[in-house]
Amino acid sequence: MKQYLNLVKNVLDNGVIKENRTGIPTISCFAEHYKVDLAEGFPLLTTKKVFFRSVILELLWYLRGEDHIRWLRDENDCHIWDAWADDDGYVGPIYPTLWRRFPALKSESGASYPGKGTDENVKWAYDEYDQVQRAVDMLKKNPNSRRIVVSAWHPGLLDEMRLPPCHVMYIFNVSNGRLNCHLTQRSGDIALGIPFNLACYSALTMAIAAETNLKPGVFAHTIVDAHIYENHVEGLKEQLKREPRKLPELKIQKKPLNQLEFSDFELLNYNPHDKIRFPVAV
């Protein structure tokens, strides 16, 4: 995929050295952007092997609304989040929780905010708000809306998270019957994280397009701090030498998101170059 290789090359050529919490310096660029047309194929990198099973399991985990990784780790033998979980598998209120159970203030009468003129005697409590289902419902009822937004950033809960969300917000937009998605990411590990984010959110867009009777459109991605860890440089240079191959095809069963299982995703004609191992910076 040329867009990814262009991102890698630009950061290697123009990035600046920055220290960070992991202790491993990065080469970093500010506000990188690319986009891919999902009509041209499923954007799973071909210049190295990306583990499709882990990509889809991570997406399904996001959709479960949990604050732990036991479904991933214990039931599906998927360990991509182990480094950020405690011994009980707890990761805190990150993507799954904020996508499906975002904390919302509710009153006894159903009002959603104690605004001006509110009776001081009304009791308030926290409820849970399903942002993903709201997005699906809006796409069905008002696809031209410019307010179909899902946020994974909650300042009041950051101290409860094992890792504050890197991909903080995505927005759906419909044009000519095609479902587009724009992802904003505060921080992006180009070697390890970005290939997963690209494939995961593209699959999410395709699944929602199927449920809402739309065609997959464009996936666009803005990365505020796009960085390459110094111990990833050689592996990425190897990828730059490799010629991208034809993108695979992804078929997804048309189902409500809550009913999707791994078997509903079928990857066809994936022919990548050999895998490249990159150490995880925690």
Side-chain angles (χ1 to χ4, degrees):
M1 213 185 80
K2 289 291 187 182
Q3 296 93 323
Y4 178 77
L5 296 182
N6 290 341
L7 171 66
V8 171
K9 187 175 187 307
N10 183 61
V11 174
L12 287 176
D13 290 347
N14 301 302
V16 298
I17 303 297
K18 293 177 65 174
E19 301 295 330
N20 62 86
R21 62 177 176 78
T22 70
I24 303 171
T26 61
I27 304 168
S28 172
C29 278
F30 172 69
E32 291 296 317
H33 175 78
Y34 69 87
K35 59 183 178 181
V36 297
D37 189 340
L38 299 178
E40 297 176 357
F42 179 59
L44 197 65
L45 295 191
T46 61
T47 48
K48 72 167 185 177
K49 182 177 181 180
V50 178
F51 292 96
F52 174 73
R53 179 177 181 273
S54 296
V55 168
I56 301 303
L57 287 176
E58 183 178 42
L59 171 59
L60 293 175
W61 174 63
Y62 290 160
L63 294 171
R64 289 174 63 87
E66 299 168 343
D67 59 6
H68 58 83
I69 62 166
R70 292 189 288 274
W71 180 83
L72 270 179
R73 183 190 64 190
D74 303 336
E75 296 185 37
N76 289 284
D77 194 27
C78 181
H79 300 278
I80 57 176
W81 274 90
D82 285 11
W84 294 279
D86 66 15
D87 291 341
D88 293 325
Y90 180 73
V91 289
I94 57 173
Y95 307 107
T97 301
L98 296 177
W99 282 22
R100 307 308 302 258
R101 299 190 292 117
F102 198 96
L105 203 58
K106 296 287 184 180
S107 72
E108 293 174 330
S109 63
S112 58
Y113 179 71
K116 183 178 180 181
T118 301
D119 186 342
E120 294 180 358
N121 295 318
V122 173
K123 294 182 180 179
W124 294 88
Y126 279 103
D127 199 354
E128 296 176 347
Y129 188 78
D130 189 338
Q131 295 190 85
V132 174
Q133 188 59 52
R134 177 181 180 273
V136 171
D137 292 343
M138 289 185 71
L139 287 167
K140 290 178 178 179
K141 297 175 183 177
N142 184 18
N144 289 327
S145 174
R146 298 180 298 228
R147 302 175 180 179
I148 308 177
V149 180
V150 176
S151 173
W153 193 258
H154 193 309
L157 295 178
L158 293 179
D159 290 343
E160 305 299 322
M161 303 176 186
R162 302 284 291 189
L163 178 68
C166 293
H167 21 116
V168 296
M169 177 177 67
Y170 56 101
I171 302 173
F172 291 114
N173 177 280
V174 177
S175 179
N176 291 328
R178 301 180 75 207
L179 179 62
N180 306 309
C181 177
H182 182 279
L183 172 65
T184 298
Q185 189 156 342
R186 66 169 178 85
S187 174
D189 173 353
I190 291 174
L192 280 175
I194 297 304
F196 262 67
N197 305 145
L198 164 60
C200 178
Y201 280 87
S202 295
L204 173 65
T205 302
M206 295 170 70
I208 291 179
E211 183 177 351
T212 55
N213 295 315
L214 296 165
K215 294 180 180 179
V218 169
F219 171 73
H221 194 179
T222 297
I223 311 158
V224 177
D225 190 301
H227 55 262
I228 294 171
Y229 286 97
E230 286 191 340
N231 56 355
H232 292 169
V233 169
E234 293 307 313
L236 288 172
K237 285 183 176 179
E238 172 60 30
Q239 282 195 74
L240 290 175
K241 298 176 184 177
R242 298 176 175 182
E243 187 66 26
R245 295 171 177 170
K246 184 178 180 181
L247 291 177
E249 179 184 357
L250 178 61
K251 291 187 175 181
I252 305 175
Q253 291 292 323
K254 181 179 179 179
K255 286 184 175 181
L257 291 183
N258 293 340
Q259 297 178 20
L260 283 173
E261 300 176 355
F262 179 76
S263 59
D264 295 317
F265 296 79
E266 183 181 7
L267 184 68
L268 303 174
N269 302 316
Y270 185 43
N271 180 33
H273 290 266
D274 292 339
K275 63 185 178 182
I276 299 175
R277 294 193 179 277
F278 294 102
V280 178
V282 180

mmCIF file of all heavy atoms in Angstrom, residues 32 44 48 67 110 180 195 247 258:
data_model
loop_
_atom_site.group_PDB
_atom_site.id
_atom_site.type_symbol
_atom_site.label_atom_id
_atom_site.label_comp_id
_atom_site.label_asym_id
_atom_site.label_seq_id
_atom_site.Cartn_x
_atom_site.Cartn_y
_atom_site.Cartn_z
ATOM 1 N N GLU A 32 0.369 13.981 10.435
ATOM 2 C CA GLU A 32 0.414 13.250 9.169
ATOM 3 C C GLU A 32 -0.997 12.797 8.785
ATOM 4 O O GLU A 32 -1.845 12.557 9.650
ATOM 5 C CB GLU A 32 1.340 12.043 9.284
ATOM 6 C CG GLU A 32 2.798 12.409 9.423
ATOM 7 C CD GLU A 32 3.328 13.111 8.193
ATOM 8 O OE1 GLU A 32 3.011 12.680 7.061
ATOM 9 O OE2 GLU A 32 4.070 14.105 8.345
ATOM 10 N N LEU A 44 -5.112 -4.177 4.157
ATOM 11 C CA LEU A 44 -4.243 -4.952 5.032
ATOM 12 C C LEU A 44 -2.869 -4.972 4.359
ATOM 13 O O LEU A 44 -2.744 -5.417 3.216
ATOM 14 C CB LEU A 44 -4.790 -6.374 5.187
ATOM 15 C CG LEU A 44 -4.268 -7.215 6.348
ATOM 16 C CD1 LEU A 44 -4.672 -6.610 7.694
ATOM 17 C CD2 LEU A 44 -4.779 -8.652 6.242
ATOM 18 N N LYS A 48 4.403 -6.463 4.593
ATOM 19 C CA LYS A 48 4.702 -7.397 5.677
ATOM 20 C C LYS A 48 3.392 -8.097 6.012
ATOM 21 O O LYS A 48 2.304 -7.596 5.713
ATOM 22 C CB LYS A 48 5.248 -6.686 6.921
ATOM 23 C CG LYS A 48 4.202 -5.881 7.675
ATOM 24 C CD LYS A 48 4.677 -5.463 9.054
ATOM 25 C CE LYS A 48 3.562 -4.768 9.837
ATOM 26 N NZ LYS A 48 3.966 -4.406 11.204
ATOM 27 N N ASP A 67 -14.234 -3.664 30.183
ATOM 28 C CA ASP A 67 -13.074 -2.932 30.699
ATOM 29 C C ASP A 67 -11.925 -3.883 31.041
ATOM 30 O O ASP A 67 -11.025 -3.552 31.800
ATOM 31 C CB ASP A 67 -13.444 -2.088 31.918
ATOM 32 C CG ASP A 67 -13.997 -2.920 33.066
ATOM 33 O OD1 ASP A 67 -14.000 -4.169 32.971
ATOM 34 O OD2 ASP A 67 -14.433 -2.312 34.074
ATOM 35 N N GLY A 110 -35.329 11.738 33.370
ATOM 36 C CA GLY A 110 -34.798 11.413 32.056
ATOM 37 C C GLY A 110 -33.996 12.520 31.422
ATOM 38 O O GLY A 110 -33.397 12.333 30.366
ATOM 39 N N ASN A 180 -18.038 6.926 4.457
ATOM 40 C CA ASN A 180 -16.655 7.311 4.714
ATOM 41 C C ASN A 180 -16.416 7.400 6.218
ATOM 42 O O ASN A 180 -17.333 7.662 6.996
ATOM 43 C CB ASN A 180 -16.356 8.672 4.081
ATOM 44 C CG ASN A 180 -16.700 8.720 2.610
ATOM 45 O OD1 ASN A 180 -16.295 7.860 1.836
ATOM 46 N ND2 ASN A 180 -17.490 9.720 2.220
ATOM 47 N N PRO A 195 -0.694 -0.056 11.169
ATOM 48 C CA PRO A 195 -1.267 -1.100 10.315
ATOM 49 C C PRO A 195 -2.525 -1.741 10.912
ATOM 50 O O PRO A 195 -3.475 -2.058 10.186
ATOM 51 C CB PRO A 195 -0.131 -2.120 10.199
ATOM 52 C CG PRO A 195 1.109 -1.304 10.365
ATOM 53 C CD PRO A 195 0.750 -0.276 11.404
ATOM 54 N N LEU A 247 -4.120 -5.665 -3.071
ATOM 55 C CA LEU A 247 -4.816 -5.759 -1.787
ATOM 56 C C LEU A 247 -5.788 -6.921 -1.781
ATOM 57 O O LEU A 247 -6.381 -7.258 -2.822
ATOM 58 C CB LEU A 247 -5.568 -4.458 -1.498
ATOM 59 C CG LEU A 247 -4.715 -3.223 -1.211
ATOM 60 C CD1 LEU A 247 -5.606 -2.006 -1.023
ATOM 61 C CD2 LEU A 247 -3.833 -3.432 0.009
ATOM 62 N N ASN A 258 -23.743 -6.085 17.075
ATOM 63 C CA ASN A 258 -23.737 -6.882 18.303
ATOM 64 C C ASN A 258 -23.750 -8.380 18.045
ATOM 65 O O ASN A 258 -23.447 -9.166 18.945
ATOM 66 C CB ASN A 258 -24.936 -6.517 19.180
ATOM 67 C CG ASN A 258 -24.849 -5.113 19.732
ATOM 68 O OD1 ASN A 258 -23.769 -4.528 19.785
ATOM 69 N ND2 ASN A 258 -25.981 -4.565 20.144
#
